[in-house]
Amino acid sequence: MTGLLLLPLLLPFALPALARRALDRLAPVAALWALTVCAVVLAGCSLAALGAFVLVGLFKLPLVAALGELVRPLHTASDLVVLPAAATSVGVLSVCGWTLVRSVLRQTRAFRAARTQAGRGPAAGDLCVVDSPRPDAYALPGRPHRIVVTTAMLRSLDGPEREALFAHERAHNDGGHHYFLAAAELAAHCHPALRPVRETIRLAAERAADEAAAARVGDRRLTARAIARAALAGQTTRSERPDFAPAATTGPVPQRVQALLAAAPRAPRAGRAVASLLLACTAVSCVASVAGMADFHHRVEIAQGDESP
């Protein structure tokens, strides 16, 4: 049981390297979906494993064992292993919960401030212009979705570049990329190894929006130029938007510009190999956590006298 429950805690450490390979070898939209689903599943499995360790440690306490109607000792690994593992799991879960609550509160405040700011400026359809000396532009989710751009950013770009920038931000809203970014943020607070994956998922969302914008305006070079100029204009700007509100100026912009200018064909075999590794990693984590929890439940039933040892 202990070995099975350790697997969901160890497998997330393999995901950052796999995530970088997936982004290089898969189409951006496919990479965005695959990495987000994998990160969320691995985060859930790791939380389940930590919870199982906590339960095992609790059942070692006489009071909890009496409340659980255990008539036999719960057969587990040595108490020298189980009790420290349970105590560590309690600490890890507490830290995860605390950082997640802080992040949710911070993101909620930033989202409300961004919606309030967007509501003050003039709107033309989904486009909202904010009078500000700081160049910035981002896709703001909500009802309705908004594309928020400052007057300083508009002055930094010419007409065709503005259209490419707006197409990029509309692609974020049309693709629901804020859901992917929120899921990545949640997963990052569940396991430390998933924090670098959060940045890879953010880059995948930007790459997906880059490709959609290039297809909409029909000019990859124009899209690359617009993103580069917007990033240069906004590089000294510290935006107060929430982290799940994607923007064309985030992420490694030189890498994104190079991808737009190169337009290199994908390698299908390499992409399938990486996708298979991601699927295998996710499946093994799921199977290990489910099997570990099932084994723990079976041992509890034996200790309760419901089944013979």
Side-chain angles (χ1 to χ4, degrees):
M1 178 184 67
T2 303
L4 287 172
L5 293 177
L6 283 176
L7 272 177
L9 300 177
L10 297 176
L11 283 172
F13 288 100
L15 190 58
L18 287 176
R20 290 190 295 270
R21 288 179 176 270
L23 188 56
D24 291 337
R25 290 165 171 79
L26 294 174
V29 174
L32 180 61
W33 273 97
L35 295 180
T36 305
V37 171
C38 188
V40 170
V41 172
L42 289 180
C45 291
S46 65
L47 290 180
L50 290 172
F53 278 124
V54 172
L55 289 176
V56 171
L58 287 175
F59 273 109
K60 291 292 183 178
L61 301 176
L63 177 60
V64 178
L67 292 175
E69 300 179 349
L70 302 188
V71 297
R72 299 191 183 101
L74 183 63
H75 180 65
T76 62
S78 172
D79 288 355
L80 296 177
V81 175
V82 170
L83 296 181
T88 303
S89 298
V90 170
V92 170
L93 289 173
S94 300
V95 171
C96 290
W98 170 244
T99 58
L100 179 60
V101 169
R102 286 203 311 170
S103 177
V104 169
L105 293 176
R106 179 173 60 85
Q107 299 295 334
T108 301
R109 288 194 297 267
F111 176 69
R112 288 177 177 173
R115 292 294 298 187
T116 301
Q117 183 186 45
R120 292 172 180 168
D126 62 345
L127 181 63
C128 180
V129 179
V130 176
D131 186 15
S132 173
R134 299 182 301 179
D136 198 12
Y138 55 92
L140 185 63
R143 295 184 179 179
H145 292 332
R146 294 289 190 191
I147 297 172
V148 181
V149 60
T150 63
T151 52
M153 179 62 78
L154 292 177
R155 288 192 294 267
S156 302
L157 307 176
D158 61 26
E161 290 169 348
R162 293 175 187 172
E163 292 302 319
L165 180 66
F166 298 158
H168 176 97
E169 303 303 348
R170 287 192 178 96
H172 279 311
N173 282 334
D174 293 343
H177 293 169
H178 49 282
Y179 293 117
F180 295 92
L181 299 183
E185 181 73 17
L186 174 64
H189 288 282
C190 297
H191 198 290
L194 299 177
R195 292 174 185 170
V197 180
R198 171 180 53 188
E199 302 307 318
T200 308
I201 291 174
R202 183 176 296 276
L203 177 56
E206 295 303 327
R207 286 282 296 112
D210 291 343
E211 294 296 328
R216 179 170 295 184
V217 301
D219 191 336
R220 300 180 67 84
R221 189 171 295 275
L222 170 63
T223 305
R225 187 172 73 246
I227 291 170
R229 292 192 61 183
L232 286 175
Q235 63 182 351
T236 59
T237 300
R238 184 181 180 276
S239 177
E240 297 179 355
R241 62 178 177 266
D243 292 340
F244 57 84
T249 57
T250 57
V253 174
Q255 181 180 343
R256 293 166 50 200
V257 171
Q258 184 180 7
L260 279 170
L261 295 178
R266 299 289 173 181
R269 292 184 179 179
R272 286 196 294 267
V274 174
S276 299
L277 287 175
L278 288 173
L279 178 61
C281 184
T282 305
V284 170
S285 182
C286 287
V287 171
S289 60
V290 171
M293 293 292 289
D295 184 44
F296 169 68
H297 182 263
H298 179 66
R299 292 169 188 256
V300 170
E301 287 184 333
I302 293 175
Q304 289 175 335
D306 296 336
E307 296 185 13
S308 58

mmCIF file with all atom_site columns, all heavy atoms in Angstrom, residues 191-215:
data_model
loop_
_atom_site.group_PDB
_atom_site.id
_atom_site.type_symbol
_atom_site.label_atom_id
_atom_site.label_alt_id
_atom_site.label_comp_id
_atom_site.label_asym_id
_atom_site.label_entity_id
_atom_site.label_seq_id
_atom_site.pdbx_PDB_ins_code
_atom_site.Cartn_x
_atom_site.Cartn_y
_atom_site.Cartn_z
_atom_site.occupancy
_atom_site.B_iso_or_equiv
_atom_site.pdbx_formal_charge
_atom_site.auth_seq_id
_atom_site.auth_comp_id
_atom_site.auth_asym_id
_atom_site.auth_atom_id
_atom_site.pdbx_PDB_model_num
ATOM 1   N N   . HIS A 1 191 ? 1.094  20.427 -5.831  1.00 0.00 ? 191 HIS A N   1
ATOM 2   C CA  . HIS A 1 191 ? 2.365  19.691 -5.863  1.00 0.00 ? 191 HIS A CA  1
ATOM 3   C C   . HIS A 1 191 ? 3.444  20.634 -6.386  1.00 0.00 ? 191 HIS A C   1
ATOM 4   O O   . HIS A 1 191 ? 3.269  21.274 -7.422  1.00 0.00 ? 191 HIS A O   1
ATOM 5   C CB  . HIS A 1 191 ? 2.250  18.467 -6.774  1.00 0.00 ? 191 HIS A CB  1
ATOM 6   C CG  . HIS A 1 191 ? 3.319  17.446 -6.546  1.00 0.00 ? 191 HIS A CG  1
ATOM 7   N ND1 . HIS A 1 191 ? 4.641  17.663 -6.881  1.00 0.00 ? 191 HIS A ND1 1
ATOM 8   C CD2 . HIS A 1 191 ? 3.270  16.201 -6.007  1.00 0.00 ? 191 HIS A CD2 1
ATOM 9   C CE1 . HIS A 1 191 ? 5.360  16.589 -6.569  1.00 0.00 ? 191 HIS A CE1 1
ATOM 10  N NE2 . HIS A 1 191 ? 4.556  15.695 -6.030  1.00 0.00 ? 191 HIS A NE2 1
ATOM 11  N N   . PRO A 1 192 ? 4.592  20.735 -5.681  1.00 0.00 ? 192 PRO A N   1
ATOM 12  C CA  . PRO A 1 192 ? 5.626  21.704 -6.105  1.00 0.00 ? 192 PRO A CA  1
ATOM 13  C C   . PRO A 1 192 ? 6.192  21.414 -7.484  1.00 0.00 ? 192 PRO A C   1
ATOM 14  O O   . PRO A 1 192 ? 6.618  22.331 -8.188  1.00 0.00 ? 192 PRO A O   1
ATOM 15  C CB  . PRO A 1 192 ? 6.703  21.569 -5.013  1.00 0.00 ? 192 PRO A CB  1
ATOM 16  C CG  . PRO A 1 192 ? 6.436  20.255 -4.353  1.00 0.00 ? 192 PRO A CG  1
ATOM 17  C CD  . PRO A 1 192 ? 4.959  20.034 -4.442  1.00 0.00 ? 192 PRO A CD  1
ATOM 18  N N   . ALA A 1 193 ? 6.207  20.131 -7.904  1.00 0.00 ? 193 ALA A N   1
ATOM 19  C CA  . ALA A 1 193 ? 6.752  19.801 -9.217  1.00 0.00 ? 193 ALA A CA  1
ATOM 20  C C   . ALA A 1 193 ? 5.881  20.313 -10.354 1.00 0.00 ? 193 ALA A C   1
ATOM 21  O O   . ALA A 1 193 ? 6.338  20.388 -11.504 1.00 0.00 ? 193 ALA A O   1
ATOM 22  C CB  . ALA A 1 193 ? 6.921  18.284 -9.348  1.00 0.00 ? 193 ALA A CB  1
ATOM 23  N N   . LEU A 1 194 ? 4.638  20.675 -10.071 1.00 0.00 ? 194 LEU A N   1
ATOM 24  C CA  . LEU A 1 194 ? 3.734  21.151 -11.111 1.00 0.00 ? 194 LEU A CA  1
ATOM 25  C C   . LEU A 1 194 ? 3.810  22.668 -11.307 1.00 0.00 ? 194 LEU A C   1
ATOM 26  O O   . LEU A 1 194 ? 3.150  23.197 -12.199 1.00 0.00 ? 194 LEU A O   1
ATOM 27  C CB  . LEU A 1 194 ? 2.291  20.752 -10.770 1.00 0.00 ? 194 LEU A CB  1
ATOM 28  C CG  . LEU A 1 194 ? 2.035  19.245 -10.673 1.00 0.00 ? 194 LEU A CG  1
ATOM 29  C CD1 . LEU A 1 194 ? 0.591  18.975 -10.265 1.00 0.00 ? 194 LEU A CD1 1
ATOM 30  C CD2 . LEU A 1 194 ? 2.356  18.553 -11.994 1.00 0.00 ? 194 LEU A CD2 1
ATOM 31  N N   . ARG A 1 195 ? 4.620  23.347 -10.521 1.00 0.00 ? 195 ARG A N   1
ATOM 32  C CA  . ARG A 1 195 ? 4.741  24.792 -10.692 1.00 0.00 ? 195 ARG A CA  1
ATOM 33  C C   . ARG A 1 195 ? 5.401  25.174 -12.016 1.00 0.00 ? 195 ARG A C   1
ATOM 34  O O   . ARG A 1 195 ? 4.904  26.070 -12.703 1.00 0.00 ? 195 ARG A O   1
ATOM 35  C CB  . ARG A 1 195 ? 5.508  25.391 -9.512  1.00 0.00 ? 195 ARG A CB  1
ATOM 36  C CG  . ARG A 1 195 ? 4.720  25.316 -8.211  1.00 0.00 ? 195 ARG A CG  1
ATOM 37  C CD  . ARG A 1 195 ? 5.544  25.767 -7.024  1.00 0.00 ? 195 ARG A CD  1
ATOM 38  N NE  . ARG A 1 195 ? 4.805  25.561 -5.772  1.00 0.00 ? 195 ARG A NE  1
ATOM 39  C CZ  . ARG A 1 195 ? 5.335  25.689 -4.567  1.00 0.00 ? 195 ARG A CZ  1
ATOM 40  N NH1 . ARG A 1 195 ? 6.630  26.021 -4.451  1.00 0.00 ? 195 ARG A NH1 1
ATOM 41  N NH2 . ARG A 1 195 ? 4.603  25.474 -3.494  1.00 0.00 ? 195 ARG A NH2 1
ATOM 42  N N   . PRO A 1 196 ? 6.499  24.519 -12.419 1.00 0.00 ? 196 PRO A N   1
ATOM 43  C CA  . PRO A 1 196 ? 7.027  24.856 -13.752 1.00 0.00 ? 196 PRO A CA  1
ATOM 44  C C   . PRO A 1 196 ? 6.088  24.466 -14.885 1.00 0.00 ? 196 PRO A C   1
ATOM 45  O O   . PRO A 1 196 ? 6.118  25.080 -15.949 1.00 0.00 ? 196 PRO A O   1
ATOM 46  C CB  . PRO A 1 196 ? 8.354  24.080 -13.817 1.00 0.00 ? 196 PRO A CB  1
ATOM 47  C CG  . PRO A 1 196 ? 8.299  23.069 -12.737 1.00 0.00 ? 196 PRO A CG  1
ATOM 48  C CD  . PRO A 1 196 ? 7.397  23.608 -11.693 1.00 0.00 ? 196 PRO A CD  1
ATOM 49  N N   . VAL A 1 197 ? 5.251  23.456 -14.664 1.00 0.00 ? 197 VAL A N   1
ATOM 50  C CA  . VAL A 1 197 ? 4.285  23.058 -15.693 1.00 0.00 ? 197 VAL A CA  1
ATOM 51  C C   . VAL A 1 197 ? 3.261  24.172 -15.905 1.00 0.00 ? 197 VAL A C   1
ATOM 52  O O   . VAL A 1 197 ? 2.759  24.363 -17.020 1.00 0.00 ? 197 VAL A O   1
ATOM 53  C CB  . VAL A 1 197 ? 3.601  21.740 -15.292 1.00 0.00 ? 197 VAL A CB  1
ATOM 54  C CG1 . VAL A 1 197 ? 2.593  21.301 -16.341 1.00 0.00 ? 197 VAL A CG1 1
ATOM 55  C CG2 . VAL A 1 197 ? 4.631  20.641 -15.094 1.00 0.00 ? 197 VAL A CG2 1
ATOM 56  N N   . ARG A 1 198 ? 2.959  24.910 -14.858 1.00 0.00 ? 198 ARG A N   1
ATOM 57  C CA  . ARG A 1 198 ? 2.034  26.042 -14.985 1.00 0.00 ? 198 ARG A CA  1
ATOM 58  C C   . ARG A 1 198 ? 2.538  27.038 -16.021 1.00 0.00 ? 198 ARG A C   1
ATOM 59  O O   . ARG A 1 198 ? 1.752  27.540 -16.837 1.00 0.00 ? 198 ARG A O   1
ATOM 60  C CB  . ARG A 1 198 ? 1.885  26.718 -13.620 1.00 0.00 ? 198 ARG A CB  1
ATOM 61  C CG  . ARG A 1 198 ? 1.125  28.027 -13.628 1.00 0.00 ? 198 ARG A CG  1
ATOM 62  C CD  . ARG A 1 198 ? 1.045  28.613 -12.228 1.00 0.00 ? 198 ARG A CD  1
ATOM 63  N NE  . ARG A 1 198 ? 2.356  28.725 -11.601 1.00 0.00 ? 198 ARG A NE  1
ATOM 64  C CZ  . ARG A 1 198 ? 2.552  29.064 -10.333 1.00 0.00 ? 198 ARG A CZ  1
ATOM 65  N NH1 . ARG A 1 198 ? 1.528  29.313 -9.539  1.00 0.00 ? 198 ARG A NH1 1
ATOM 66  N NH2 . ARG A 1 198 ? 3.782  29.157 -9.841  1.00 0.00 ? 198 ARG A NH2 1
ATOM 67  N N   . GLU A 1 199 ? 3.839  27.313 -16.023 1.00 0.00 ? 199 GLU A N   1
ATOM 68  C CA  . GLU A 1 199 ? 4.387  28.248 -17.000 1.00 0.00 ? 199 GLU A CA  1
ATOM 69  C C   . GLU A 1 199 ? 4.366  27.657 -18.406 1.00 0.00 ? 199 GLU A C   1
ATOM 70  O O   . GLU A 1 199 ? 4.163  28.386 -19.379 1.00 0.00 ? 199 GLU A O   1
ATOM 71  C CB  . GLU A 1 199 ? 5.819  28.632 -16.602 1.00 0.00 ? 199 GLU A CB  1
ATOM 72  C CG  . GLU A 1 199 ? 5.925  29.242 -15.223 1.00 0.00 ? 199 GLU A CG  1
ATOM 73  C CD  . GLU A 1 199 ? 4.971  30.413 -15.033 1.00 0.00 ? 199 GLU A CD  1
ATOM 74  O OE1 . GLU A 1 199 ? 4.859  31.229 -15.965 1.00 0.00 ? 199 GLU A OE1 1
ATOM 75  O OE2 . GLU A 1 199 ? 4.335  30.500 -13.965 1.00 0.00 ? 199 GLU A OE2 1
ATOM 76  N N   . THR A 1 200 ? 4.579  26.355 -18.522 1.00 0.00 ? 200 THR A N   1
ATOM 77  C CA  . THR A 1 200 ? 4.509  25.719 -19.836 1.00 0.00 ? 200 THR A CA  1
ATOM 78  C C   . THR A 1 200 ? 3.092  25.753 -20.386 1.00 0.00 ? 200 THR A C   1
ATOM 79  O O   . THR A 1 200 ? 2.881  25.960 -21.588 1.00 0.00 ? 200 THR A O   1
ATOM 80  C CB  . THR A 1 200 ? 5.013  24.265 -19.750 1.00 0.00 ? 200 THR A CB  1
ATOM 81  O OG1 . THR A 1 200 ? 6.300  24.234 -19.127 1.00 0.00 ? 200 THR A OG1 1
ATOM 82  C CG2 . THR A 1 200 ? 5.124  23.642 -21.125 1.00 0.00 ? 200 THR A CG2 1
ATOM 83  N N   . ILE A 1 201 ? 2.106  25.545 -19.512 1.00 0.00 ? 201 ILE A N   1
ATOM 84  C CA  . ILE A 1 201 ? 0.705  25.637 -19.945 1.00 0.00 ? 201 ILE A CA  1
ATOM 85  C C   . ILE A 1 201 ? 0.375  27.066 -20.377 1.00 0.00 ? 201 ILE A C   1
ATOM 86  O O   . ILE A 1 201 ? -0.333 27.282 -21.375 1.00 0.00 ? 201 ILE A O   1
ATOM 87  C CB  . ILE A 1 201 ? -0.224 25.168 -18.814 1.00 0.00 ? 201 ILE A CB  1
ATOM 88  C CG1 . ILE A 1 201 ? -0.063 23.657 -18.590 1.00 0.00 ? 201 ILE A CG1 1
ATOM 89  C CG2 . ILE A 1 201 ? -1.681 25.504 -19.118 1.00 0.00 ? 201 ILE A CG2 1
ATOM 90  C CD1 . ILE A 1 201 ? -0.824 23.120 -17.407 1.00 0.00 ? 201 ILE A CD1 1
ATOM 91  N N   . ARG A 1 202 ? 0.893  28.039 -19.671 1.00 0.00 ? 202 ARG A N   1
ATOM 92  C CA  . ARG A 1 202 ? 0.671  29.433 -20.066 1.00 0.00 ? 202 ARG A CA  1
ATOM 93  C C   . ARG A 1 202 ? 1.281  29.701 -21.440 1.00 0.00 ? 202 ARG A C   1
ATOM 94  O O   . ARG A 1 202 ? 0.667  30.370 -22.289 1.00 0.00 ? 202 ARG A O   1
ATOM 95  C CB  . ARG A 1 202 ? 1.287  30.369 -19.018 1.00 0.00 ? 202 ARG A CB  1
ATOM 96  C CG  . ARG A 1 202 ? 1.051  31.845 -19.295 1.00 0.00 ? 202 ARG A CG  1
ATOM 97  C CD  . ARG A 1 202 ? 1.607  32.688 -18.156 1.00 0.00 ? 202 ARG A CD  1
ATOM 98  N NE  . ARG A 1 202 ? 0.906  32.406 -16.919 1.00 0.00 ? 202 ARG A NE  1
ATOM 99  C CZ  . ARG A 1 202 ? -0.245 32.968 -16.578 1.00 0.00 ? 202 ARG A CZ  1
ATOM 100 N NH1 . ARG A 1 202 ? -0.825 33.838 -17.388 1.00 0.00 ? 202 ARG A NH1 1
ATOM 101 N NH2 . ARG A 1 202 ? -0.816 32.666 -15.442 1.00 0.00 ? 202 ARG A NH2 1
ATOM 102 N N   . LEU A 1 203 ? 2.480  29.163 -21.680 1.00 0.00 ? 203 LEU A N   1
ATOM 103 C CA  . LEU A 1 203 ? 3.110  29.335 -22.989 1.00 0.00 ? 203 LEU A CA  1
ATOM 104 C C   . LEU A 1 203 ? 2.313  28.622 -24.074 1.00 0.00 ? 203 LEU A C   1
ATOM 105 O O   . LEU A 1 203 ? 2.170  29.136 -25.194 1.00 0.00 ? 203 LEU A O   1
ATOM 106 C CB  . LEU A 1 203 ? 4.545  28.808 -22.946 1.00 0.00 ? 203 LEU A CB  1
ATOM 107 C CG  . LEU A 1 203 ? 5.328  28.840 -24.262 1.00 0.00 ? 203 LEU A CG  1
ATOM 108 C CD1 . LEU A 1 203 ? 5.365  30.248 -24.844 1.00 0.00 ? 203 LEU A CD1 1
ATOM 109 C CD2 . LEU A 1 203 ? 6.744  28.301 -24.050 1.00 0.00 ? 203 LEU A CD2 1
ATOM 110 N N   . ALA A 1 204 ? 1.771  27.452 -23.761 1.00 0.00 ? 204 ALA A N   1
ATOM 111 C CA  . ALA A 1 204 ? 0.948  26.731 -24.737 1.00 0.00 ? 204 ALA A CA  1
ATOM 112 C C   . ALA A 1 204 ? -0.293 27.540 -25.103 1.00 0.00 ? 204 ALA A C   1
ATOM 113 O O   . ALA A 1 204 ? -0.701 27.586 -26.274 1.00 0.00 ? 204 ALA A O   1
ATOM 114 C CB  . ALA A 1 204 ? 0.551  25.365 -24.175 1.00 0.00 ? 204 ALA A CB  1
ATOM 115 N N   . ALA A 1 205 ? -0.901 28.199 -24.109 1.00 0.00 ? 205 ALA A N   1
ATOM 116 C CA  . ALA A 1 205 ? -2.067 29.037 -24.390 1.00 0.00 ? 205 ALA A CA  1
ATOM 117 C C   . ALA A 1 205 ? -1.693 30.209 -25.286 1.00 0.00 ? 205 ALA A C   1
ATOM 118 O O   . ALA A 1 205 ? -2.437 30.569 -26.213 1.00 0.00 ? 205 ALA A O   1
ATOM 119 C CB  . ALA A 1 205 ? -2.680 29.536 -23.084 1.00 0.00 ? 205 ALA A CB  1
ATOM 120 N N   . GLU A 1 206 ? -0.539 30.822 -25.026 1.00 0.00 ? 206 GLU A N   1
ATOM 121 C CA  . GLU A 1 206 ? -0.104 31.932 -25.869 1.00 0.00 ? 206 GLU A CA  1
ATOM 122 C C   . GLU A 1 206 ? 0.213  31.462 -27.281 1.00 0.00 ? 206 GLU A C   1
ATOM 123 O O   . GLU A 1 206 ? -0.112 32.145 -28.265 1.00 0.00 ? 206 GLU A O   1
ATOM 124 C CB  . GLU A 1 206 ? 1.123  32.612 -25.248 1.00 0.00 ? 206 GLU A CB  1
ATOM 125 C CG  . GLU A 1 206 ? 0.860  33.297 -23.923 1.00 0.00 ? 206 GLU A CG  1
ATOM 126 C CD  . GLU A 1 206 ? -0.228 34.347 -24.016 1.00 0.00 ? 206 GLU A CD  1
ATOM 127 O OE1 . GLU A 1 206 ? -0.353 34.986 -25.076 1.00 0.00 ? 206 GLU A OE1 1
ATOM 128 O OE2 . GLU A 1 206 ? -0.975 34.524 -23.040 1.00 0.00 ? 206 GLU A OE2 1
ATOM 129 N N   . ARG A 1 207 ? 0.850  30.300 -27.408 1.00 0.00 ? 207 ARG A N   1
ATOM 130 C CA  . ARG A 1 207 ? 1.160  29.770 -28.730 1.00 0.00 ? 207 ARG A CA  1
ATOM 131 C C   . ARG A 1 207 ? -0.122 29.439 -29.496 1.00 0.00 ? 207 ARG A C   1
ATOM 132 O O   . ARG A 1 207 ? -0.222 29.672 -30.701 1.00 0.00 ? 207 ARG A O   1
ATOM 133 C CB  . ARG A 1 207 ? 2.043  28.527 -28.601 1.00 0.00 ? 207 ARG A CB  1
ATOM 134 C CG  . ARG A 1 207 ? 3.482  28.804 -28.233 1.00 0.00 ? 207 ARG A CG  1
ATOM 135 C CD  . ARG A 1 207 ? 4.290  29.298 -29.423 1.00 0.00 ? 207 ARG A CD  1
ATOM 136 N NE  . ARG A 1 207 ? 4.366  28.259 -30.445 1.00 0.00 ? 207 ARG A NE  1
ATOM 137 C CZ  . ARG A 1 207 ? 3.772  28.343 -31.629 1.00 0.00 ? 207 ARG A CZ  1
ATOM 138 N NH1 . ARG A 1 207 ? 3.044  29.413 -31.944 1.00 0.00 ? 207 ARG A NH1 1
ATOM 139 N NH2 . ARG A 1 207 ? 3.882  27.366 -32.505 1.00 0.00 ? 207 ARG A NH2 1
ATOM 140 N N   . ALA A 1 208 ? -1.116 28.898 -28.791 1.00 0.00 ? 208 ALA A N   1
ATOM 141 C CA  . ALA A 1 208 ? -2.384 28.597 -29.449 1.00 0.00 ? 208 ALA A CA  1
ATOM 142 C C   . ALA A 1 208 ? -3.049 29.874 -29.943 1.00 0.00 ? 208 ALA A C   1
ATOM 143 O O   . ALA A 1 208 ? -3.593 29.929 -31.061 1.00 0.00 ? 208 ALA A O   1
ATOM 144 C CB  . ALA A 1 208 ? -3.308 27.855 -28.487 1.00 0.00 ? 208 ALA A CB  1
ATOM 145 N N   . ALA A 1 209 ? -3.015 30.935 -29.129 1.00 0.00 ? 209 ALA A N   1
ATOM 146 C CA  . ALA A 1 209 ? -3.592 32.208 -29.542 1.00 0.00 ? 209 ALA A CA  1
ATOM 147 C C   . ALA A 1 209 ? -2.784 32.841 -30.678 1.00 0.00 ? 209 ALA A C   1
ATOM 148 O O   . ALA A 1 209 ? -3.350 33.489 -31.570 1.00 0.00 ? 209 ALA A O   1
ATOM 149 C CB  . ALA A 1 209 ? -3.675 33.157 -28.352 1.00 0.00 ? 209 ALA A CB  1
ATOM 150 N N   . ASP A 1 210 ? -1.462 32.672 -30.646 1.00 0.00 ? 210 ASP A N   1
ATOM 151 C CA  . ASP A 1 210 ? -0.630 33.177 -31.739 1.00 0.00 ? 210 ASP A CA  1
ATOM 152 C C   . ASP A 1 210 ? -1.036 32.556 -33.061 1.00 0.00 ? 210 ASP A C   1
ATOM 153 O O   . ASP A 1 210 ? -1.196 33.253 -34.081 1.00 0.00 ? 210 ASP A O   1
ATOM 154 C CB  . ASP A 1 210 ? 0.845  32.866 -31.466 1.00 0.00 ? 210 ASP A CB  1
ATOM 155 C CG  . ASP A 1 210 ? 1.415  33.665 -30.308 1.00 0.00 ? 210 ASP A CG  1
ATOM 156 O OD1 . ASP A 1 210 ? 0.799  34.673 -29.921 1.00 0.00 ? 210 ASP A OD1 1
ATOM 157 O OD2 . ASP A 1 210 ? 2.479  33.267 -29.795 1.00 0.00 ? 210 ASP A OD2 1
ATOM 158 N N   . GLU A 1 211 ? -1.195 31.242 -33.074 1.00 0.00 ? 211 GLU A N   1
ATOM 159 C CA  . GLU A 1 211 ? -1.552 30.546 -34.314 1.00 0.00 ? 211 GLU A CA  1
ATOM 160 C C   . GLU A 1 211 ? -2.946 30.949 -34.783 1.00 0.00 ? 211 GLU A C   1
ATOM 161 O O   . GLU A 1 211 ? -3.188 31.124 -35.986 1.00 0.00 ? 211 GLU A O   1
ATOM 162 C CB  . GLU A 1 211 ? -1.476 29.037 -34.097 1.00 0.00 ? 211 GLU A CB  1
ATOM 163 C CG  . GLU A 1 211 ? -0.075 28.511 -33.827 1.00 0.00 ? 211 GLU A CG  1
ATOM 164 C CD  . GLU A 1 211 ? 0.854  28.718 -35.005 1.00 0.00 ? 211 GLU A CD  1
ATOM 165 O OE1 . GLU A 1 211 ? 0.381  28.679 -36.158 1.00 0.00 ? 211 GLU A OE1 1
ATOM 166 O OE2 . GLU A 1 211 ? 2.069  28.924 -34.773 1.00 0.00 ? 211 GLU A OE2 1
ATOM 167 N N   . ALA A 1 212 ? -3.873 31.089 -33.842 1.00 0.00 ? 212 ALA A N   1
ATOM 168 C CA  . ALA A 1 212 ? -5.230 31.495 -34.222 1.00 0.00 ? 212 ALA A CA  1
ATOM 169 C C   . ALA A 1 212 ? -5.236 32.911 -34.790 1.00 0.00 ? 212 ALA A C   1
ATOM 170 O O   . ALA A 1 212 ? -5.944 33.202 -35.765 1.00 0.00 ? 212 ALA A O   1
ATOM 171 C CB  . ALA A 1 212 ? -6.158 31.398 -33.017 1.00 0.00 ? 212 ALA A CB  1
ATOM 172 N N   . ALA A 1 213 ? -4.454 33.814 -34.185 1.00 0.00 ? 213 ALA A N   1
ATOM 173 C CA  . ALA A 1 213 ? -4.385 35.185 -34.683 1.00 0.00 ? 213 ALA A CA  1
ATOM 174 C C   . ALA A 1 213 ? -3.753 35.234 -36.063 1.00 0.00 ? 213 ALA A C   1
ATOM 175 O O   . ALA A 1 213 ? -4.212 35.976 -36.947 1.00 0.00 ? 213 ALA A O   1
ATOM 176 C CB  . ALA A 1 213 ? -3.596 36.053 -33.706 1.00 0.00 ? 213 ALA A CB  1
ATOM 177 N N   . ALA A 1 214 ? -2.692 34.460 -36.267 1.00 0.00 ? 214 ALA A N   1
ATOM 178 C CA  . ALA A 1 214 ? -2.037 34.431 -37.575 1.00 0.00 ? 214 ALA A CA  1
ATOM 179 C C   . ALA A 1 214 ? -2.994 33.914 -38.648 1.00 0.00 ? 214 ALA A C   1
ATOM 180 O O   . ALA A 1 214 ? -3.013 34.418 -39.780 1.00 0.00 ? 214 ALA A O   1
ATOM 181 C CB  . ALA A 1 214 ? -0.783 33.563 -37.510 1.00 0.00 ? 214 ALA A CB  1
ATOM 182 N N   . ALA A 1 215 ? -3.794 32.915 -38.301 1.00 0.00 ? 215 ALA A N   1
ATOM 183 C CA  . ALA A 1 215 ? -4.765 32.390 -39.264 1.00 0.00 ? 215 ALA A CA  1
ATOM 184 C C   . ALA A 1 215 ? -5.865 33.408 -39.548 1.00 0.00 ? 215 ALA A C   1
ATOM 185 O O   . ALA A 1 215 ? -6.349 33.518 -40.678 1.00 0.00 ? 215 ALA A O   1
ATOM 186 C CB  . ALA A 1 215 ? -5.367 31.091 -38.732 1.00 0.00 ? 215 ALA A CB  1
#
